[in-house]
Amino acid sequence: MGSLVQFIFRYLNTTENDLNYWGLDYPPLTAYHSLLCAHVAKLINPEWVELHTSRGYESPAHKLFMRATVLVADILIYIPAVVVYCLYLVEGSTKKKVTTIFCILLYPGLTLIDYGHFQYNGVSLGLALWGVVGLGLGWDMLGSLAFTLALNYKQMELYHSLPFFCYLLGKCVKQGLSGRGLLLLVKVAVTVLVTFALCWLPFLSDSHQVLQVVHRLFPVARGLFEDKVANAWCSLNILIKIKTLMSTETQLSLSFVLTLLAVLPSSIKLFMKPTLWQFKLALVNSSLAFFLFSYQVHEKSILLPALPVCLLLSDLPLMAIWFLQVSTFSMLPLLLKDGLLLPYVVTSLAFLYFSLFLLSGLQRATDEQLRLQPYHALFSSILPCLPRFNLGRITKWKFVVSVVLMACLSLGIVVLEPPAQLPDLFPVLVSLISCSHFLGFLLYFNLLQLSEAPARRSSKKSN
Amino acid sequence: MAAPMSELSGWFPALAIGVTFLKCLLINTYHSTDFEVHRNWLAITHSLPVSQWYFEDTSEWTLDYPPFFAWFEYCLSHVAKYFDKEMLVVQNLSYASPATILFQRLSVMFVDLVFFYAARECCKTVGDNKAKEIIGKPSFALAALLVWNFGLLIVDHIHFQYNGFLFGILLLSIARHCQSRHLEGALLFAILLNLKHIFLYIAPAYGIFLLRSFCFTSNNSDGSIKWRSLSVVRLAALGTIVLSVFALSFGPFIAMGQLPQVVSRLFPFKRGLCHAYWAPNLWALYNVADKALSILGVKLKVLDVDTLPKASMTGGLVQEFQHSVLPSVTPLATLICTVVSITPALLHLWFRPSGARGFVRCIVICAMGSFMFGWHVHEKAILMAILPLSLLAVESKEDARTFLLLTTTGHYSLLPLLFTAAELPIKVLLMVLYTLFTFTSLKTLLSKEGSLLSTVEGLYLAGLVPLEVLCEWVYPLTTWQGSMPFIPLLVTSTYCALGVTYSFIRLYLSLLRGQGVKHKDKSQ
């Protein structure tokens, strides 16, 4: 405990925890995880964890150790979550469940970022997935506990928090606000508060420390976006230089309002109808809306919508595979900077090939299977004279064209030199194309959630 | 009867494409000196005239494979020049630019297509069972065991060699014999001999089988040989094929009067009894016994420390060994031992032929006999026994049991080839995955109730796990790592040698008990 107290002082922006040298800017649980890894590292080789002298230290054994910690964390948290989810919450034969596990684990984006770029997204996403599993199986308190832990690991999980909130609140209301519903509400609230308190315990003694941590977690000084991100602001910036035109406060309010507008329909629908299917779609919609319109979004945040889309692989294989591939593609400039071209190409090809083969993505693409009825309704209301298209076939062709386009652009970004007056041409193209895809997906998933759910789903899912 | 290929036709490309993706990811892993060997040979065959190929010795890695492999490298070199011209310069020793690495790795992956084709042909010769799902069928299990073979993956695509290509030709030849297309099989084997002469070890099996089962067209009623049924036509055809292949290969060198030089390059007996990492064969056990006896002798004051030879068996790369207590071993002695060990199998093949399956069994025994008793055997040679044994393992419970033991210990003995930190998770995880698959698939296929292995065998294999932990993790952190760094290798070799020897004995017993006759033959 003594070393823990010493450790927490390093949150303060002193020379020991210099923000300029990758200072700690994640919530407390990440800090505790790092402490645990540091203790193990010290057993193996104390040189690895010296405070200042180990900056930039990179021997092969040390690299192996750090990568191994990611693997251990995944084996303990993320992979079991995926397995349990598929075994209990996916309908179908054992073969279908196992192939779904395989395809989810094959998703290139998470593997490349966690193991190539090096991060611990598997922990926060795994904990969030445990939250989904808990809620899906009816264990609301455990689900809330898991999600709160996820929140305390990475603040980006706030993208997922609105659906969790609306789902639980909607469930409480459905069960009657006086009686069982109220009891559930109280239980969940207590779980969340206690978990927060336990995680932040070392810092609660001093309000100054709490503020400092919060200041680290939400760096509003950094601006609307950084680098080239596939979200609406970055794309808009190409036409209208909003970053320079508007002041920081205006930018903040604009992004806040737009995000809220984008998230509102989905959250309200979930509140009115708290089922697992609605919950999964709401997770997608909410995190995608946050990604597109929120403040200071990083490219890696696309992993947050990607996780719930992975959960939709068994229901909507083609659309899920398409989204997941675009999400990996959107991170291409970052991956190239890390020298991950070969793994990117191989894992993307492997993912596309095996998911389409095992989940019969291209075969299960009729209008009904892709839930495209709302589009027919939309078209017939706007242009009643047009004949009824085979939207399923059109979607398949759009998918093929899109994949070819992404492949060509990936090839181009490696082989071709950008013209001198447009040095950022390729990253901009990548983010523009990805952004347009994401906007299309936002529309699709919102329509899907807002239209009536098909009767195909078995009644035991509604809880 | 052959398995219906239509069901396998969707899965086989998936297996092949999947393993190719994995091989792509292994492009930038550690490669051994074999990489430089092949680069050097590309350079020699490209830059020098044929008359110089077997004389060139700028690099220590001289050309020591038969002429067809040299021509193979020559063909590759014509593609290589589009990747990086510098690799084709003989003086550029240890040249390893990214383009060179990419080209060499891609070339191995490309010629693995031969292996995929051969595996598919082998799957066609395997019988069918009544399983409803393709995953429960022997052809699927065989396809996965061959195409995803762990030993082949790490030796070819990390350590760097062209074994997939060569074993592909071997398996294709075996498949042709199983399909009664004997002339094609003989042709393929003759080509194979001229690609890598290590396959001479199994040539006796081929010779006896072809003579007995192909040249003598029928048997007497009691199964013994009918001397009058000798088909001179067939014999002549075989002879023509084999001789013409050898003439094509060695002809130019005989014409140039270089045959002695070529032979001396192909058979260098100056190397020691054991490779630096002892292959887990009988000589490893022999060396350990000798060392143990000498230490014991010194302790008991029976031997004098000063009279013991100083040359250490455990240091250096390729040194001469001298045993202290037990008699020293000469190349001739190993040859005699090898011949003696495979003779019973050959005699069995002659007197009691049991079709193609018996032939495969004899091949495996010849390969294992040469592994156990040969001179300067490399542990990679265990693959020559493991791959043909896969064909037998998916059909017979006894063979599956032997296969499990041999494969697990054989693959485990290959792990020390990759000694870098970065490759450690790859090799361990791949080995665990492959071993788990082998166990579960063979158990599902052949033994629904109870396990395939006996308790002792199971315990022996389970002992590999703590052995690995000790050798790779615990030992390097102790103080003995500095003074006696060879101990993990020694322990690994000895432990695996026990398993390999046991498998060899089991194989012989199953042969002599007539296992091969169980399967219905097509080629009698």
Side-chain angles (χ1 to χ4, degrees), chain B residues 484-498:
Chain B
M484 293 192 289
F486 54 83
I487 292 282
L489 291 174
L490 196 145
V491 174
T492 308
S493 289
T494 324
Y495 196 84
C496 293
L498 295 170

Side-chain angles (χ1 to χ4, degrees), chain A residues 275-462:
Chain A
T275 63
L276 183 65
W277 174 245
Q278 287 284 326
F279 180 45
K280 287 198 288 193
L281 286 172
L283 280 170
V284 176
N285 286 322
S286 160
S287 41
L288 194 52
F290 268 95
F291 176 81
L292 285 169
F293 301 111
S294 173
Y295 198 83
Q296 184 62 220
V297 173
H298 201 281
E299 306 151 297
K300 295 181 284 218
S301 311
I302 196 61
L303 293 175
L304 288 157
L307 176 73
V309 174
C310 283
L311 305 182
L312 295 174
L313 265 173
S314 50
D315 303 295
L316 297 162
L318 184 63
M319 304 304 276
I321 294 171
W322 192 1
F323 179 89
L324 292 172
Q325 187 51 49
V326 177
S327 66
T328 314
F329 171 73
S330 71
M331 294 191 283
L332 182 57
L334 177 66
L335 298 173
L336 282 179
K337 257 189 267 185
D338 287 327
L340 290 171
L341 175 64
L342 181 66
Y344 160 74
V345 170
V346 174
T347 48
S348 302
L349 287 173
F351 176 70
L352 277 173
Y353 176 76
F354 280 105
S355 318
L356 288 173
F357 175 69
L358 291 171
L359 295 172
S360 314
L362 289 171
Q363 284 81 9
R364 288 163 61 186
T366 63
D367 277 9
E368 197 215 78
Q369 282 166 330
L370 293 176
R371 321 284 165 82
L372 293 169
Q373 295 93 329
Y375 288 90
H376 287 299
L378 210 64
F379 285 150
S380 56
S381 61
I382 298 173
L383 302 158
C385 52
L386 277 182
R388 191 185 172 84
F389 294 116
N390 186 349
L391 283 178
R393 188 131 42 98
I394 295 180
T395 313
K396 264 198 283 191
W397 277 109
K398 284 202 291 186
F399 168 73
V400 171
V401 168
S402 161
V403 170
V404 169
L405 181 65
M406 289 193 285
C408 291
L409 197 52
S410 306
L411 188 64
I413 205 174
V414 172
V415 170
L416 300 173
E417 282 293 318
Q421 59 269 44
L422 299 166
D424 277 330
L425 179 65
F426 286 114
V428 166
L429 275 177
V430 166
S431 53
L432 264 178
I433 291 176
S434 312
C435 186
S436 52
H437 277 88
F438 292 146
L439 285 167
F441 278 113
L442 187 67
L443 182 67
Y444 171 76
F445 283 116
N446 267 302
L447 274 177
L448 190 57
Q449 186 182 0
L450 296 173
S451 63
E452 275 305 305
R456 186 178 71 85
R457 202 147 349 285
S458 65
S459 52
K460 69 174 158 74
K461 276 289 164 286
S462 56

